[in-house]
Amino acid sequence: MSATADHADGKEQPNLAARLGLEAGWIVQEIGYDDDCDDDLRDAIRAVTGEEFVDDETDEVVDVVLLWFREEDGDLVDAFFDILTDLKAGGVVWLMTPKVGRDGYVEGSEIAEAAPTAGLSTTSTLSVTDDWSATKLVVPKSGRRG
């Protein structure tokens, strides 16, 4: 994809998807999709990986989990534990949460508390769309269970 194609409609979604560190051929498991999710970003992620998303019923080990999570979706620690089952060693979780002032906003302190409880470390947070923030979480090498 050329740089001009990225900007053809005034959006930079493909560049944002690339900033998530995704690579061609990676399997992305999407959890928590609903009408409020950003379809342009989802399309851009599929364009970068060249793969369709798999859901929580997959038997595949995945490279990335894309978790759309809103305050009303329940317990974040439980959500983290549920997604770790299919994540490969060295894989990444991108937690997508509504931005401040949007319906379903999740406090940063809640993420900061839930991540280590589930054995995850927060590494960075990006503003990926007008309505969504993305928080990158990984399992520390020392924290992996065999």
Side-chain angles (χ1 to χ4, degrees):
M1 179 176 283
S2 73
T4 54
D6 286 352
H7 301 283
D9 62 356
K11 296 183 180 179
E12 296 184 23
Q13 262 34 0
N15 287 335
L16 288 172
R19 283 179 54 206
L20 298 178
L22 307 177
E23 296 182 16
W26 277 15
I27 304 301
V28 178
Q29 181 181 48
E30 182 181 42
I31 308 290
Y33 174 80
D34 207 339
D35 299 1
D36 61 347
C37 296
D38 191 284
D39 288 327
D40 290 336
L41 179 62
R42 295 174 73 242
D43 290 344
I45 290 170
R46 286 191 293 261
V48 168
T49 64
E51 303 289 334
E52 289 299 317
F53 295 134
V54 298
D55 62 18
D56 58 350
E57 302 295 319
T58 188
D59 292 329
E60 295 188 60
V61 175
V62 300
D63 300 289
V64 177
V65 174
L66 181 65
L67 175 61
W68 300 92
F69 193 87
R70 303 142 200 92
E71 201 257 336
E72 63 273 7
D73 286 344
D75 186 76
L76 188 55
V77 174
D78 289 344
F80 285 157
F81 277 120
D82 289 345
I83 63 172
L84 291 175
T85 322
D86 299 324
L87 188 64
K88 77 173 194 176
V92 173
V93 175
W94 279 105
L95 173 65
M96 307 297 295
T97 56
K99 289 184 175 179
V100 174
R102 308 302 196 280
D103 287 342
Y105 170 70
V106 178
E107 290 283 342
S109 60
E110 183 178 344
I111 298 167
E113 290 172 20
T117 303
L120 294 166
S121 292
T122 304
T123 63
S124 58
T125 300
L126 302 173
S127 174
V128 291
T129 72
D130 288 343
D131 295 321
W132 294 90
S133 292
T135 302
K136 183 179 182 180
L137 301 138
V138 297
V139 177
K141 291 182 186 196
S142 61
R144 283 237 173 247
R145 295 180 198 53

